[in-house]
Amino acid sequence: MIKKSIALILMILLCTMAFSKKEIVFWNAWGGDEGKVLEDMIEEYNNLQDEVVVRSVFAPIGMGEKIMATLSGNTVPDVITVWDWMVVPLGFRGQILPLNEMLAKAGIDEEYYINGVWDYGFYKGRKYGLPTTLNVTAFMWNKGAFEEVGLDPETPPKNIEELDAYTEKLMKYRKNGKLKRLGFDPVISHIYCYVFGGKLWDPETGEITANDPGNIRAYEWLSSYYEKYDVKQKRIFQAGWGDVFSPLNPFLRGEVAMKEGSQWEILVAQKFAKPDFDYGISYFPAPEGGREDVCNVSGSFWVIPSASKNQEEAFEFMKWLTAPKQSAHFAAALYNIPPVKDALNDPAFTQIIDDKMQVYIDLLTNGYVYTFPMLPIGQTYLSEMTQALADVQLGNKTAKEALDYVQDRITEELSNY
Amino acid sequence: MNEYTLKVRKRTFKRESVLGVIFISPWIAGFLIFTLFPVLYSLYLSFTMTGEGGHLKWIGLDNYLRAFGERDFWLSIKNTLILSGIGIPIAQIMALMAAILLNVRMKYQGLFRTIFFLPSVVPAVATGLLWKWILNPRLGPINGFLEELGFSGPGWLIDPAWIKPSLILMSFWGIGGTMVIYLAGLQNIPDELYEAAELDGANSRQRLKSITLPMLRPVTLFNTIMGIITSFQSFTQVIIMLDMDGGIEKSGLVYGLYIYTNAFRDFKMGYASALSWVLLIITAVSIAITMKVFKDRDK
């Protein structure tokens, strides 16, 4: 009796193994409504074909400790979501798969992607993953605040001199001398390196250009804000700012008049802004000899771990997920921009395009696109650049000294890789 | 005892040893696989760097030598030593004072002890978030209170000069564990000593100085060593209250944070492993010094 039941169980197991589909484990980093959109897409894919079943696991990226630990093992997911800055460090260290061959076989090349986006995720000729959706940064201004101080609400500053003058005009203080509104607050300092004609690195050669003359000029300009406006007061003011994904968003509340803003903030404004709040989006104002169409792109990637046992199937799934239709659908849900050219004209995405979103699309398709430095030690580099800016602002070093130091130090360190 | 019983005993002993080993074998296996192996592997990693394609390159002592040339390495050591050097002694004094107070027989003694211990039960992440709010210069209760009194509060976590004091202040929140050990130590001091001192006319200050403190010396040593270990490893609250770089001007860049950023942000596992072993050495040396100081004073 026992023998018979064991035999029966074994037979059932064998049968299910023979007929069951391969399982693709997908680490999905989105929860809430966006996660739901992705889950629906996965279900659609599972119904669409009979080869594999994709199982989605909610795994927020965080700082990547979990991803690092998982990639070091033998049992790995087949597709994972990572931040853009993790792609090359992980790829270089052999933990995620270069996709060159598979992409070539699938006929996906530079032409498939929007202007310059193909280079995103490349290092030394290897492409390590596919961008999920793109996040673009542009210049935002509060029209109401412009009107209040007598500026034309429809015209953003055209150059750096105007930006400085507008900032001064838009600064607003309470009776007790405390800040009520910041004129402008440059946060992502490397944007201005590019705006001033500099650059962080050369994607062609993989060499860094920390002490590019444009970067030096940008750092000098950024430090001038540190000198002009009391930084301690500014930080205390900012400490009271609320969450950007809430009605307490400082831009919507008029606590900062001009800022760097991404396209998802359009959605935030639709949700939380008061009815009379109006704002504009434009290209970054640039100095003479600088770049007037700087487009900072960031985002997350889908990558295949090298230890995945279902690499072909994982790539098929990723290919489907990043195809124009799906890309458009998912980007619209996130209020991001799809990286794929044809997705821009897909109705799923065009339905969220208004004149504000159009500025971002123009910037992305026609502008000077740059991304995070795709280097094995990109984060170390950026951290040193931040430290260099602090040194300049505190007067410890001149901009040239600080950036020369970064150039030497990171070049030396890169030579080990 | 005849030969037969000896034989039986030997056999029983043998059987019991085997059984014993079998029963603790899950723990031994766990220890070997999940503790000893990673520890030794990190020692190996500390002599390597991950090159292209994930190959471990043996680079000898390079990781260790590299650390001594890094500005952030020295900064993180400096920050950690400042935080520990000021934080640990004050925390010890506060814990001892709390323990002495809670040792006084009174109504609701148990309740008070629980209340004082309660913050130590709060997870580090929650503590970090809570203090981030308490110390918020515009919205936090501390500065709100100071403002009511007509003072302008400091910037706390957003002012480089105030980051370290803020972190030290927050560390006092977790003195509960230390306090409980002091409390146990206090209860171990025989009442006769106090009675005899009282008969000799010693006042309470003299009793504290000549009986309580000397009798508590072993407990103080233990607490100080534990304080050093925890303080040198401080990480969770710091990363939650500040950021990966230790806040503005890296004023709160502690050693634990430096290891973490190298390992998980910059993906330099070899270098981070080397840093961890340096931390072990620093901790060992600090403990040795502490023990020596205590021993010398015993003489």
Side-chain angles (χ1 to χ4, degrees), chain A residues 123-143:
Chain A
Y123 182 67
K124 286 193 176 167
R126 298 202 184 105
K127 183 154 174 83
Y128 286 111
L130 301 178
T132 60
T133 55
L134 304 176
N135 186 43
V136 174
T137 316
F139 181 83
M140 272 184 179
W141 79 96
N142 178 337
K143 290 186 181 172

Side-chain angles (χ1 to χ4, degrees), chain A residues 63 65 68 85 89 92-93 126 232 235-237 239-240 379-380 383 387 391 394 409 413 416, chain B residues 49 52-54 57 66 70-71 136 138 158-159 244 248-250 260 265-269:
Chain A
M63 274 315 302
E65 306 97 322
M68 282 284 278
W85 58 266
F92 175 80
R93 287 167 177 82
R126 298 202 184 105
K232 192 186 158 195
R235 285 175 186 151
I236 290 181
F237 180 57
Q379 270 291 351
T380 316
S383 164
Q387 183 63 31
D391 280 337
L394 293 171
R409 188 184 175 287
E413 202 170 331
N416 297 327
Chain B
M49 74 170 271
E52 192 154 7
K57 262 197 292 191
R66 151 159 235 123
E70 291 278 334
R71 182 174 54 174
N136 185 307
R138 257 177 83 198
I158 53 141
D159 185 344
M244 298 268 292
I248 294 159
E249 289 166 31
K250 300 193 177 177
Y260 178 85
R265 191 189 65 186
D266 299 357
F267 302 106
K268 295 178 201 159
M269 280 296 167

